[in-house]
Amino acid sequence: MKTKESTLIFEPYSLNGLALNNRIVMAPMTRSRADNQAHAATELTALYYSQRATAGLIITGGTFISPEAVGVINVPAIYSDEQIIGWKLTTDAVHKKGGTIFAQLWHTGAYSHPDVLGGNLPLAPSALNPHVQVFTPDGFKESVTAKEMTLEDIKQTIADFKKAAINAFDAGFDGVELHGANGYLLQQFFSKNSNQRTDEYGGSVENRARILFDILDEYKSIVDISRVGVRLNPSLDGLMGISIDDETIAVYNYIVNRLNDYGLAYIHLLEPFTDVSSNPNAIQEVAKHFRKIYKGTLIINRGFNKTDANKILNEGDADLVSFGSPFIANPDLVERFKVDAPLNELDRETLYTPGAKGYTDYPTLDELNNSNNVLK
Ligand SMILES: Cc1cc2nc3c(=O)[nH]c(=O)nc-3n(C[C@H](O)[C@H](O)[C@H](O)COP(=O)(O)O)c2cc1C
Protein backbone atom coordinates (compact mmCIF):
# COMPACT_ATOMS: atom_id res chain seq x y z
CA MET A 1 0.00 0.00 0.00
CA LYS A 2 1.30 3.44 -0.89
CA THR A 3 1.64 5.60 2.22
CA LYS A 4 0.66 9.24 1.97
CA GLU A 5 3.72 11.44 1.56
CA SER A 6 4.35 13.83 4.44
CA THR A 7 3.53 17.44 3.73
CA LEU A 8 5.57 19.17 6.40
CA ILE A 9 7.01 21.62 3.82
CA PHE A 10 3.54 23.16 3.46
CA GLU A 11 3.10 23.76 7.18
CA PRO A 12 3.41 27.35 8.44
CA TYR A 13 6.52 28.28 10.42
CA SER A 14 7.23 30.99 12.95
CA LEU A 15 10.59 32.60 12.24
CA ASN A 16 11.18 34.34 15.58
CA GLY A 17 7.55 35.44 15.43
CA LEU A 18 7.54 36.25 11.72
CA ALA A 19 4.77 34.07 10.27
CA LEU A 20 5.93 32.15 7.19
CA ASN A 21 3.16 30.55 5.11
CA ASN A 22 5.19 27.39 4.53
CA ARG A 23 8.71 25.97 4.92
CA ILE A 24 9.71 26.44 1.29
CA VAL A 25 12.34 29.16 0.88
CA MET A 26 13.42 30.76 -2.39
CA ALA A 27 17.24 30.66 -2.29
CA PRO A 28 19.21 33.83 -3.15
CA MET A 29 19.93 34.04 -6.88
CA THR A 30 21.72 36.75 -8.83
CA ARG A 31 19.87 37.45 -12.08
CA SER A 32 21.69 40.58 -13.34
CA ARG A 33 18.60 42.42 -14.61
CA ALA A 34 19.46 45.87 -13.16
CA ASP A 35 21.04 47.18 -16.36
CA ASN A 36 20.52 50.81 -15.37
CA GLN A 37 22.90 53.61 -14.36
CA ALA A 38 21.74 53.59 -10.73
CA HIS A 39 22.23 49.82 -10.27
CA ALA A 40 18.73 49.85 -8.81
CA ALA A 41 16.00 47.22 -8.65
CA THR A 42 13.13 48.06 -11.02
CA GLU A 43 9.46 47.24 -11.67
CA LEU A 44 10.72 44.13 -13.45
CA THR A 45 12.55 42.99 -10.29
CA ALA A 46 9.34 43.59 -8.33
CA LEU A 47 7.33 41.51 -10.79
CA TYR A 48 9.85 38.65 -10.67
CA TYR A 49 9.81 38.40 -6.87
CA SER A 50 6.06 38.97 -6.51
CA GLN A 51 5.42 36.12 -8.96
CA ARG A 52 7.26 33.91 -6.43
CA ALA A 53 5.61 35.34 -3.28
CA THR A 54 3.94 32.04 -2.35
CA ALA A 55 7.33 30.87 -1.07
CA GLY A 56 7.31 30.91 2.72
CA LEU A 57 10.36 33.17 2.54
CA ILE A 58 12.14 34.80 -0.40
CA ILE A 59 15.81 35.68 -0.09
CA THR A 60 16.85 38.12 -2.84
CA GLY A 61 19.90 37.56 -4.97
CA GLY A 62 22.97 39.12 -3.35
CA THR A 63 22.73 42.92 -3.27
CA PHE A 64 25.94 44.96 -3.05
CA ILE A 65 26.58 46.88 0.16
CA SER A 66 28.91 49.47 -1.43
CA PRO A 67 30.54 50.31 -4.77
CA GLU A 68 33.67 48.49 -3.50
CA ALA A 69 31.63 45.31 -2.94
CA VAL A 70 30.67 44.89 -6.60
CA GLY A 71 31.78 41.77 -8.44
CA VAL A 72 29.10 41.13 -11.08
CA ILE A 73 27.46 43.49 -13.57
CA ASN A 74 23.83 44.64 -13.46
CA VAL A 75 23.16 43.56 -9.89
CA PRO A 76 20.72 45.80 -7.99
CA ALA A 77 22.62 47.25 -5.00
CA ILE A 78 21.53 48.71 -1.65
CA TYR A 79 23.91 51.58 -0.82
CA SER A 80 22.16 54.60 -2.42
CA ASP A 81 18.80 56.31 -1.90
CA GLU A 82 17.79 55.49 -5.46
CA GLN A 83 18.49 51.83 -4.79
CA ILE A 84 16.38 51.89 -1.61
CA ILE A 85 13.51 53.36 -3.65
CA GLY A 86 14.02 50.67 -6.29
CA TRP A 87 13.85 47.84 -3.74
CA LYS A 88 10.69 49.32 -2.18
CA LEU A 89 8.85 48.36 -5.37
CA THR A 90 9.83 44.75 -4.71
CA THR A 91 9.07 44.63 -0.98
CA ASP A 92 5.68 46.30 -1.53
CA ALA A 93 4.77 43.92 -4.35
CA VAL A 94 5.77 40.83 -2.33
CA HIS A 95 3.98 42.02 0.81
CA LYS A 96 0.84 42.78 -1.18
CA LYS A 97 0.77 39.11 -2.14
CA GLY A 98 1.25 38.00 1.47
CA GLY A 99 4.91 37.05 1.06
CA THR A 100 7.98 37.57 3.25
CA ILE A 101 11.29 38.77 1.84
CA PHE A 102 14.86 39.16 3.12
CA ALA A 103 17.71 40.92 1.27
CA GLN A 104 21.00 39.07 0.90
CA LEU A 105 23.86 41.49 1.66
CA TRP A 106 26.90 40.84 -0.52
CA HIS A 107 30.55 41.85 -0.79
CA THR A 108 32.47 39.84 -3.38
CA GLY A 109 36.00 40.62 -2.08
CA ALA A 110 38.64 39.12 -4.36
CA TYR A 111 35.93 37.54 -6.51
CA SER A 112 35.80 40.68 -8.67
CA HIS A 113 37.62 42.62 -11.36
CA PRO A 114 38.81 46.23 -11.89
CA ASP A 115 36.36 46.46 -14.84
CA VAL A 116 33.43 46.44 -12.40
CA LEU A 117 35.24 48.52 -9.76
CA GLY A 118 35.92 51.70 -11.69
CA GLY A 119 39.46 50.52 -12.41
CA ASN A 120 40.29 49.80 -8.75
CA LEU A 121 41.64 46.50 -7.47
CA PRO A 122 39.27 44.21 -5.58
CA LEU A 123 39.68 44.34 -1.78
CA ALA A 124 40.34 41.06 0.03
CA PRO A 125 41.85 39.67 3.24
CA SER A 126 45.12 38.98 1.38
CA ALA A 127 46.77 40.00 -1.88
CA LEU A 128 45.88 36.81 -3.76
CA ASN A 129 44.20 35.92 -7.02
CA PRO A 130 41.30 33.45 -6.53
CA HIS A 131 41.53 32.52 -10.24
CA VAL A 132 37.80 32.74 -10.87
CA GLN A 133 35.80 34.03 -13.83
CA VAL A 134 34.18 37.41 -13.20
CA PHE A 135 31.09 38.66 -15.08
CA THR A 136 32.19 42.06 -16.52
CA PRO A 137 30.62 44.34 -19.15
CA ASP A 138 32.82 42.57 -21.74
CA GLY A 139 31.85 39.08 -20.68
CA PHE A 140 33.63 36.73 -18.27
CA LYS A 141 37.21 37.70 -17.36
CA GLU A 142 39.81 36.05 -15.12
CA SER A 143 40.12 37.67 -11.68
CA VAL A 144 43.29 39.58 -10.72
CA THR A 145 45.48 39.75 -7.62
CA ALA A 146 43.44 41.62 -5.01
CA LYS A 147 44.61 44.42 -2.72
CA GLU A 148 45.09 43.34 0.91
CA MET A 149 42.61 45.20 3.08
CA THR A 150 44.08 47.56 5.66
CA LEU A 151 42.49 47.67 9.10
CA GLU A 152 40.88 50.92 7.93
CA ASP A 153 39.40 49.08 4.89
CA ILE A 154 37.98 46.41 7.21
CA LYS A 155 36.46 49.08 9.46
CA GLN A 156 34.90 50.76 6.43
CA THR A 157 33.52 47.44 5.16
CA ILE A 158 31.90 46.71 8.52
CA ALA A 159 30.38 50.22 8.38
CA ASP A 160 29.13 49.51 4.85
CA PHE A 161 27.48 46.26 6.00
CA LYS A 162 25.86 48.27 8.79
CA LYS A 163 24.53 50.99 6.46
CA ALA A 164 23.30 48.38 3.97
CA ALA A 165 21.26 46.63 6.69
CA ILE A 166 19.71 49.93 7.74
CA ASN A 167 18.93 50.65 4.08
CA ALA A 168 17.37 47.21 3.63
CA PHE A 169 14.98 47.72 6.54
CA ASP A 170 14.21 51.22 5.20
CA ALA A 171 13.37 49.61 1.88
CA GLY A 172 10.78 47.44 3.62
CA PHE A 173 12.62 44.12 3.76
CA ASP A 174 11.51 41.82 6.57
CA GLY A 175 15.13 40.95 7.27
CA VAL A 176 18.63 40.58 5.87
CA GLU A 177 20.94 37.64 5.19
CA LEU A 178 24.70 38.07 5.38
CA HIS A 179 26.33 36.30 2.43
CA GLY A 180 29.04 34.33 4.19
CA ALA A 181 29.18 31.62 1.52
CA ASN A 182 30.37 30.69 -1.97
CA GLY A 183 33.88 32.12 -1.85
CA TYR A 184 32.98 35.80 -1.38
CA LEU A 185 34.51 38.26 1.08
CA LEU A 186 33.38 36.73 4.37
CA GLN A 187 34.32 33.19 3.34
CA GLN A 188 37.67 34.56 2.09
CA PHE A 189 38.31 35.63 5.69
CA PHE A 190 37.23 32.23 7.09
CA SER A 191 39.45 30.08 4.83
CA LYS A 192 43.16 29.59 5.36
CA ASN A 193 43.95 29.49 1.64
CA SER A 194 42.48 32.96 1.05
CA ASN A 195 43.45 34.58 4.36
CA GLN A 196 47.15 34.87 5.09
CA ARG A 197 46.87 37.84 7.45
CA THR A 198 48.96 38.02 10.58
CA ASP A 199 46.84 40.62 12.45
CA GLU A 200 43.66 40.08 14.47
CA TYR A 201 41.74 39.11 11.29
CA GLY A 202 44.05 36.21 10.33
CA GLY A 203 45.80 33.19 11.82
CA SER A 204 43.68 31.54 14.49
CA VAL A 205 40.16 30.21 13.96
CA GLU A 206 38.78 33.03 16.14
CA ASN A 207 40.65 35.69 14.16
CA ARG A 208 39.50 34.43 10.77
CA ALA A 209 35.88 34.45 11.95
CA ARG A 210 36.19 37.88 13.61
CA ILE A 211 34.79 40.06 10.82
CA LEU A 212 31.45 38.21 10.86
CA PHE A 213 31.00 38.83 14.58
CA ASP A 214 32.18 42.45 14.24
CA ILE A 215 29.36 43.00 11.76
CA LEU A 216 26.79 41.19 13.92
CA ASP A 217 27.89 43.11 17.02
CA GLU A 218 27.27 46.33 15.11
CA TYR A 219 23.88 45.04 13.99
CA LYS A 220 22.80 44.37 17.58
CA SER A 221 22.65 48.09 18.27
CA ILE A 222 20.98 49.26 15.04
CA VAL A 223 18.63 46.61 13.66
CA ASP A 224 16.47 43.79 14.99
CA ILE A 225 19.02 40.98 15.15
CA SER A 226 16.20 38.42 15.22
CA ARG A 227 15.64 39.40 11.57
CA VAL A 228 19.24 38.72 10.51
CA GLY A 229 20.32 35.43 8.91
CA VAL A 230 23.76 34.13 7.93
CA ARG A 231 24.56 31.95 4.91
CA LEU A 232 27.53 29.55 5.09
CA ASN A 233 29.03 26.97 2.73
CA PRO A 234 31.35 24.94 4.99
CA SER A 235 32.17 22.15 2.53
CA LEU A 236 33.06 24.32 -0.47
CA ASP A 237 36.26 22.89 -1.89
CA GLY A 238 38.32 23.57 -5.00
CA LEU A 239 35.72 25.99 -6.36
CA MET A 240 35.21 29.75 -6.13
CA GLY A 241 38.76 30.25 -4.82
CA ILE A 242 38.17 28.24 -1.62
CA SER A 243 39.84 25.03 -0.42
CA ILE A 244 39.07 22.90 2.59
CA ASP A 245 41.94 22.67 5.08
CA ASP A 246 42.74 20.96 8.39
CA GLU A 247 40.93 23.70 10.34
CA THR A 248 37.82 24.11 8.19
CA ILE A 249 35.63 22.04 10.50
CA ALA A 250 37.01 23.89 13.53
CA VAL A 251 36.26 27.29 11.94
CA TYR A 252 32.65 26.44 11.13
CA ASN A 253 32.04 24.67 14.45
CA TYR A 254 33.31 27.81 16.16
CA ILE A 255 31.20 30.14 14.01
CA VAL A 256 27.96 28.18 14.32
CA ASN A 257 28.43 27.59 18.04
CA ARG A 258 28.96 31.28 18.62
CA LEU A 259 26.00 32.23 16.43
CA ASN A 260 23.83 30.51 19.07
CA ASP A 261 24.44 33.54 21.28
CA TYR A 262 23.01 36.04 18.78
CA GLY A 263 19.34 35.04 18.52
CA LEU A 264 19.46 35.29 14.73
CA ALA A 265 16.57 34.65 12.35
CA TYR A 266 18.38 31.60 10.99
CA ILE A 267 21.52 30.05 9.59
CA HIS A 268 21.29 29.04 5.93
CA LEU A 269 23.64 26.19 5.06
CA LEU A 270 24.68 24.55 1.80
CA GLU A 271 25.38 20.85 1.39
CA PRO A 272 28.66 20.13 -0.46
CA PHE A 273 28.86 21.38 -4.07
CA THR A 274 31.24 18.57 -5.01
CA ASP A 275 31.98 15.04 -3.86
CA VAL A 276 34.06 15.51 -0.72
CA SER A 277 33.62 11.95 0.55
CA SER A 278 37.32 11.13 0.36
CA ASN A 279 38.34 14.28 2.24
CA PRO A 280 38.68 13.68 6.00
CA ASN A 281 38.65 17.46 6.60
CA ALA A 282 35.26 17.91 4.96
CA ILE A 283 31.84 17.86 6.58
CA GLN A 284 29.90 15.32 4.53
CA GLU A 285 26.36 15.96 5.74
CA VAL A 286 26.17 19.63 6.55
CA ALA A 287 22.64 19.85 7.97
CA LYS A 288 23.09 16.73 10.12
CA HIS A 289 26.41 18.01 11.47
CA PHE A 290 25.25 21.53 12.37
CA ARG A 291 21.80 20.51 13.64
CA LYS A 292 23.65 19.08 16.64
CA ILE A 293 25.35 22.43 17.25
CA TYR A 294 22.84 25.13 16.28
CA LYS A 295 19.80 25.72 18.47
CA GLY A 296 17.91 28.18 16.23
CA THR A 297 16.29 27.91 12.80
CA LEU A 298 18.32 26.01 10.22
CA ILE A 299 17.65 26.39 6.48
CA ILE A 300 19.27 23.81 4.24
CA ASN A 301 19.93 24.10 0.50
CA ARG A 302 21.29 22.47 -2.57
CA GLY A 303 19.77 19.93 -4.87
CA PHE A 304 16.53 19.35 -2.98
CA ASN A 305 13.26 18.18 -4.51
CA LYS A 306 9.92 17.97 -2.72
CA THR A 307 10.47 14.42 -1.42
CA ASP A 308 13.98 15.06 -0.10
CA ALA A 309 12.82 18.30 1.48
CA ASN A 310 9.98 16.62 3.35
CA LYS A 311 12.35 13.86 4.42
CA ILE A 312 14.94 16.19 5.95
CA LEU A 313 12.24 18.23 7.71
CA ASN A 314 10.69 15.06 9.12
CA GLU A 315 14.05 13.79 10.28
CA GLY A 316 14.53 17.10 12.07
CA ASP A 317 17.88 17.98 10.48
CA ALA A 318 16.49 21.27 9.12
CA ASP A 319 13.54 23.56 9.79
CA LEU A 320 13.19 25.06 6.31
CA VAL A 321 14.48 24.03 2.88
CA SER A 322 15.54 26.50 0.21
CA PHE A 323 15.23 25.89 -3.51
CA GLY A 324 17.30 27.73 -6.10
CA SER A 325 16.99 26.86 -9.76
CA PRO A 326 13.51 25.26 -9.43
CA PHE A 327 12.21 28.72 -8.46
CA ILE A 328 13.73 30.37 -11.55
CA ALA A 329 11.66 28.29 -13.96
CA ASN A 330 8.61 27.82 -11.70
CA PRO A 331 7.15 30.97 -10.19
CA ASP A 332 4.39 28.79 -8.70
CA LEU A 333 6.74 26.14 -7.35
CA VAL A 334 4.76 25.83 -4.10
CA GLU A 335 1.52 25.17 -5.99
CA ARG A 336 3.24 22.67 -8.29
CA PHE A 337 4.63 20.81 -5.26
CA LYS A 338 1.14 20.74 -3.75
CA VAL A 339 -0.45 19.07 -6.77
CA ASP A 340 2.67 17.12 -7.82
CA ALA A 341 2.70 18.86 -11.17
CA PRO A 342 5.70 18.59 -13.50
CA LEU A 343 8.16 21.46 -13.35
CA ASN A 344 9.04 23.84 -16.19
CA GLU A 345 12.49 23.33 -17.62
CA LEU A 346 15.20 25.87 -16.76
CA ASP A 347 16.69 27.88 -19.62
CA ARG A 348 20.36 28.38 -18.68
CA GLU A 349 20.94 30.79 -21.59
CA THR A 350 18.81 33.49 -19.94
CA LEU A 351 20.07 33.19 -16.35
CA TYR A 352 21.95 36.50 -16.50
CA THR A 353 20.70 38.20 -19.67
CA PRO A 354 18.82 41.52 -19.52
CA GLY A 355 15.05 41.82 -19.77
CA ALA A 356 11.96 39.76 -19.08
CA LYS A 357 12.92 36.73 -21.16
CA GLY A 358 13.80 33.83 -18.85
CA TYR A 359 13.03 36.08 -15.86
CA THR A 360 9.33 36.91 -15.60
CA ASP A 361 7.93 34.92 -18.54
CA TYR A 362 7.98 31.37 -17.14
CA PRO A 363 4.33 30.24 -17.13
CA THR A 364 2.40 29.15 -14.06
CA LEU A 365 0.31 25.98 -14.15
CA ASP A 366 -2.82 28.10 -14.54
CA GLU A 367 -1.34 29.95 -17.48
CA LEU A 368 -0.30 26.67 -19.10
CA ASN A 369 -3.76 25.17 -18.61
CA ASN A 370 -5.46 28.28 -19.98
CA SER A 371 -3.24 28.38 -23.05
CA ASN A 372 -3.92 24.66 -23.64
CA ASN A 373 -7.68 25.36 -23.42
CA VAL A 374 -7.34 28.15 -25.96
CA LEU A 375 -5.43 25.86 -28.31
CA LYS A 376 -8.17 23.20 -28.06
C1 LIG B 1 21.47 31.83 -11.35
C2 LIG B 1 21.95 31.59 -9.95
C3 LIG B 1 22.37 32.67 -9.18
C4 LIG B 1 22.80 32.48 -7.85
N1 LIG B 1 23.14 33.58 -7.09
C5 LIG B 1 23.37 33.41 -5.75
C6 LIG B 1 23.50 34.55 -4.90
O1 LIG B 1 23.36 35.72 -5.30
N2 LIG B 1 23.76 34.31 -3.58
C7 LIG B 1 23.90 33.05 -3.07
O2 LIG B 1 24.15 32.90 -1.88
N3 LIG B 1 23.75 31.96 -3.87
C8 LIG B 1 23.46 32.12 -5.17
N4 LIG B 1 23.21 31.02 -5.96
C9 LIG B 1 23.17 29.68 -5.35
C10 LIG B 1 21.74 29.31 -4.95
O3 LIG B 1 21.29 30.09 -3.87
C11 LIG B 1 21.64 27.83 -4.54
O4 LIG B 1 22.56 27.62 -3.50
C12 LIG B 1 21.96 26.87 -5.69
O5 LIG B 1 21.18 27.18 -6.82
C13 LIG B 1 21.68 25.42 -5.27
O6 LIG B 1 20.31 25.24 -4.97
P1 LIG B 1 19.37 24.39 -5.97
O7 LIG B 1 20.03 23.05 -6.09
O8 LIG B 1 18.03 24.33 -5.31
O9 LIG B 1 19.38 25.13 -7.27
C14 LIG B 1 22.82 31.19 -7.30
C15 LIG B 1 22.41 30.10 -8.09
C16 LIG B 1 21.96 30.29 -9.39
C17 LIG B 1 21.47 29.11 -10.18
Side-chain angles (χ1 to χ4, degrees):
M1 196 180 75
K2 197 175 175 228
T3 52
K4 201 170 173 299
E5 196 180 4
S6 148
T7 53
L8 199 50
I9 51 169
F10 303 122
E11 299 290 321
Y13 186 81
S14 173
L15 192 65
N16 286 340
L18 194 61
L20 308 186
N21 293 328
N22 54 60
R23 296 163 193 224
I24 299 167
V25 177
M26 178 175 168
M29 284 177 292
T30 303
R31 303 301 311 280
S32 289
R33 258 54 180 197
D35 49 335
N36 57 67
Q37 284 267 312
H39 308 298
T42 63
E43 292 281 3
L44 191 66
T45 325
L47 176 62
Y48 169 72
Y49 285 113
S50 69
Q51 287 173 337
R52 289 153 180 79
T54 49
L57 171 67
I58 293 173
I59 304 162
T60 69
T63 176
F64 294 128
I65 60 159
S66 67
E68 292 73 34
V70 173
V72 182
I73 59 163
N74 298 339
V75 169
I78 189 114
Y79 52 81
S80 75
D81 288 345
E82 224 170 330
Q83 292 159 357
I84 296 173
I85 293 166
W87 276 121
K88 268 189 185 143
L89 300 170
T90 288
T91 57
D92 282 349
V94 169
H95 289 150
K96 234 176 240 157
K97 290 217 177 160
T100 300
I101 183 163
F102 276 37
Q104 189 187 50
L105 304 183
W106 194 15
H107 190 309
T108 55
Y111 206 136
S112 186
H113 192 280
D115 286 5
V116 294
L117 292 167
N120 295 318
L121 285 177
L123 293 174
S126 298
L128 297 167
N129 183 343
H131 296 291
V132 288
Q133 293 297 309
V134 182
F135 188 20
T136 76
D138 304 316
F140 282 95
K141 285 195 179 176
E142 165 94 6
S143 54
V144 300
T145 299
K147 172 183 173 288
E148 179 177 311
M149 293 169 91
T150 61
L151 286 177
E152 197 47 47
D153 291 328
I154 294 177
K155 220 165 132 191
Q156 183 58 50
T157 301
I158 294 165
D160 292 339
F161 267 108
K162 187 173 164 182
K163 182 69 171 51
I166 294 171
N167 289 351
F169 284 99
D170 281 353
F173 282 105
D174 299 296
V176 296
E177 173 177 292
L178 290 177
H179 195 345
N182 299 354
Y184 298 108
L185 183 74
L186 298 182
Q187 188 158 17
Q188 290 160 25
F189 271 95
F190 304 155
S191 295
K192 257 191 205 176
N193 78 292
S194 47
N195 182 347
Q196 300 177 347
R197 300 181 73 90
T198 53
D199 61 8
E200 64 262 43
Y201 290 96
S204 68
V205 161
E206 291 80 0
N207 282 356
R208 280 183 278 131
R210 186 178 306 282
I211 188 168
L212 172 65
F213 294 100
D214 283 356
I215 297 167
L216 292 174
D217 286 337
E218 288 289 331
Y219 280 9
K220 275 197 218 157
S221 61
I222 48 134
V223 295
D224 180 355
I225 197 90
S226 77
R227 296 280 180 270
V228 176
V230 172
R231 193 170 212 215
L232 301 168
N233 192 345
S235 295
L236 185 63
D237 188 35
L239 281 178
M240 298 156 156
I242 298 296
S243 310
I244 284 178
D245 60 66
D246 59 343
E247 283 186 335
T248 299
I249 297 178
V251 168
Y252 286 95
N253 282 352
Y254 169 79
I255 289 175
V256 173
N257 232 319
R258 208 172 148 193
L259 288 177
N260 276 320
D261 301 336
Y262 281 78
L264 297 178
Y266 60 78
I267 59 169
H268 185 181
L269 303 176
L270 291 116
E271 293 291 349
F273 274 10
T274 52
D275 180 4
V276 289
S277 56
S278 58
N279 188 338
N281 292 319
I283 298 164
Q284 309 296 332
E285 291 181 291
V286 172
K288 224 181 226 347
H289 179 93
F290 288 106
R291 178 80 289 179
K292 294 192 187 83
I293 298 175
Y294 193 63
K295 299 185 176 65
T297 295
L298 193 159
I299 308 179
I300 193 65
N301 172 252
R302 200 176 179 280
F304 280 87
N305 60 25
K306 177 188 161 183
T307 307
D308 299 336
N310 264 319
K311 185 163 177 279
I312 199 162
L313 294 183
N314 274 310
E315 287 169 355
D317 288 333
D319 303 295
L320 305 167
V321 177
S322 77
F323 297 85
S325 31
F327 259 116
I328 295 180
N330 299 277
D332 57 344
L333 185 67
V334 174
E335 176 59 22
R336 285 177 192 247
F337 278 167
K338 276 188 182 157
V339 299
D340 284 321
L343 302 185
N344 292 329
E345 215 176 292
L346 177 72
D347 174 16
R348 298 203 162 269
E349 297 296 310
T350 51
L351 282 178
Y352 307 108
T353 46
K357 191 166 165 11
Y359 191 52
T360 52
D361 63 351
Y362 283 105
T364 62
L365 270 185
D366 277 353
E367 285 162 353
L368 279 176
N369 290 338
N370 288 339
S371 68
N372 284 344
N373 287 340
V374 170
L375 288 177
K376 277 177 207 158

